[in-house]
Amino acid sequence: PLVFVHHHLAYAVNDEVRRRLRLALGGPSIASEERADTSTNSGRNYFLELLAGAGYRSAGLDVEFPADGDLTLWIDGRPLFVECKRPQTTNNIRKHIGDAGGQLMRRIGKARMANAVGAVFLELGKVETKGQSLLVFTDHDAASRELPDHVRSLTRSLASLWQRDAPAAIQFVVV
């Protein structure tokens, strides 16, 4: 993933991206050692922002890393503000969506652009693996066959956690 980030964001290196890269390299090297209550997970949180930005950039979108939020994408001259979240458990997905909604409301209000919208990039790896580092498949072909259905099933089972109470600033959730 680090090579992917470098490849797609090399054009965008500025002080804010450098700061996030430094922070992304902090924290424990093993995900199971993260502790949300002590912010040891912040390194992976920053890396998620960089990885999401690289993914959007690889799809041809213009990506910015503003100091007051996670990402801003520009689509046909219209800003799409994105907040990235990594809930640790199913129980705190709603909290993360609510937090993202508040952040997006502030960013949209500050932008004073009628056509601005917000989205949440929700990474559910820690929820799905329950703190373990990997989903296990017997081989590459099995992973290629089974993983898309697995992700769809997970998303459907958890969608009510963000669909029912999502703040108005959130136009959609990317899982």
Side-chain angles (χ1 to χ4, degrees):
L2 188 56
V3 172
F4 179 80
V5 167
H6 177 268
H7 177 76
H8 291 290
L9 296 182
Y11 80 96
V13 174
N14 58 33
D15 289 343
E16 183 59 25
V17 172
R18 281 187 199 92
R19 182 184 78 82
R20 291 182 198 204
L21 279 168
R22 275 192 304 278
L23 292 167
L25 297 174
S29 58
I30 300 170
S32 61
E33 293 177 359
E34 288 183 340
R35 299 288 175 259
D37 57 337
T38 60
S39 296
T40 61
N41 62 343
S42 66
R44 281 190 179 76
N45 293 346
Y46 283 108
F47 190 73
L48 175 63
E49 296 168 11
L50 294 167
L51 189 58
Y56 289 126
R57 180 68 189 126
S58 75
L61 298 176
D62 291 325
V63 179
E64 294 175 1
F65 294 87
D68 67 343
D70 293 348
L71 303 170
T72 301
L73 310 178
W74 290 91
I75 304 169
D76 297 328
R78 182 178 184 178
L80 172 62
F81 298 118
V82 179
E83 291 299 322
C84 300
K85 299 296 175 191
R86 293 179 58 243
Q88 304 278 318
T89 66
T90 303
N91 293 337
N92 66 11
I93 291 175
R94 264 199 191 103
K95 178 193 175 309
H96 282 276
I97 294 293
D99 291 349
Q103 292 169 308
L104 291 166
M105 291 289 283
R106 283 188 294 280
R107 291 179 67 196
I108 290 170
K110 185 178 172 183
R112 295 188 180 116
M113 298 176 78
N115 64 350
V117 295
V120 179
F121 188 97
L122 191 62
E123 195 276 311
L124 297 175
K126 192 97 177 208
V127 169
E128 173 55 16
T129 61
K130 294 166 184 60
Q132 302 303 312
S133 56
L134 300 172
L135 289 175
V136 178
F137 297 97
T138 56
D139 57 41
H140 182 271
D141 291 338
S144 295
R145 278 190 319 275
E146 299 169 26
L147 189 56
D149 290 336
H150 183 79
V151 170
R152 272 190 291 279
S153 174
L154 174 67
T155 303
R156 273 193 298 272
S157 72
L158 297 174
S160 68
L161 296 175
W162 61 78
Q163 289 174 340
R164 184 178 28 194
D165 301 320
I170 299 174
Q171 297 296 309
F172 54 91
V173 175
V174 179
V175 179

